[in-house]
Amino acid sequence: MREVEVSRFVRVTPAEVERALTPAAVVEYEGSFSVVDVADRADGSTVVTAGSRGLTLSLRFEEHEDGLYYTQEGDAGPFDAMETWVTVRPEDDGSRVTMRSAVSLGLPLSGVTDRLAAWKRRGELERALDALATDLG
């Protein structure tokens, strides 16, 4: 697995950021998939079913004290494995939002294929933070 991390300062409080970071919004912010369904589970997690161009995947979100954690669930999806941590910390007169993701395609030549997957994932995370910043003004 390869890890990537992006970070962005936004000039709103952590509470405002956390309200904007719903599981469905995170998927939409990333820009690769559209939300098809959102289901809350008894264990407190939320599963977002998302799709694009005939591909459907499920992402399981868990809320943590400092943000969100989510992972690709099941075998359907672009990755063999993907997990992402979104943290929000107070900074100056706003918040520092960091998205860190680990990805693997599970293919031969993983040094090359996982690097490519991480490059694509970094773009999704950067888009997500740009969209979040735009939404929060």
Side-chain angles (χ1 to χ4, degrees):
M1 287 184 78
R2 289 273 186 175
E3 280 197 20
V4 294
E5 179 176 299
V6 297
S7 182
R8 176 129 184 196
F9 174 79
V10 292
R11 199 167 295 284
V12 297
T13 66
E16 291 172 282
V17 173
E18 289 165 0
R19 279 193 296 274
L21 287 175
T22 66
V26 170
V27 172
E28 294 288 347
Y29 286 159
E30 287 181 6
S32 293
F33 295 92
S34 297
V35 173
V36 175
D37 186 51
V38 178
D40 294 322
R41 290 191 174 162
D43 66 1
S45 66
T46 300
V47 175
V48 175
T49 304
S52 176
R53 291 175 250 148
L55 177 65
T56 302
L57 75 149
S58 295
L59 300 167
R60 183 177 46 83
F61 285 78
E62 300 172 4
E63 288 187 34
H64 291 260
E65 209 173 278
D66 61 350
L68 288 173
Y69 166 79
Y70 61 104
T71 185
Q72 179 179 294
E73 191 173 67
D75 294 334
F79 303 110
D80 180 54
M82 185 278 296
E83 55 186 344
T84 303
W85 300 262
V86 184
T87 56
V88 182
R89 302 214 188 288
E91 183 178 299
D92 297 327
D93 290 327
S95 304
R96 171 69 50 187
V97 184
T98 302
M99 298 182 81
R100 180 172 54 95
S101 193
V103 296
S104 175
L105 292 176
L107 297 173
L109 301 171
S110 63
V112 175
T113 59
D114 286 357
R115 183 177 298 141
L116 179 62
W119 172 78
K120 176 162 179 13
R121 188 71 182 133
R122 176 183 300 279
E124 291 173 334
L125 300 180
E126 289 172 347
R127 272 195 311 271
L129 291 181
D130 289 347
L132 173 68
T134 299
D135 263 6
L136 296 176

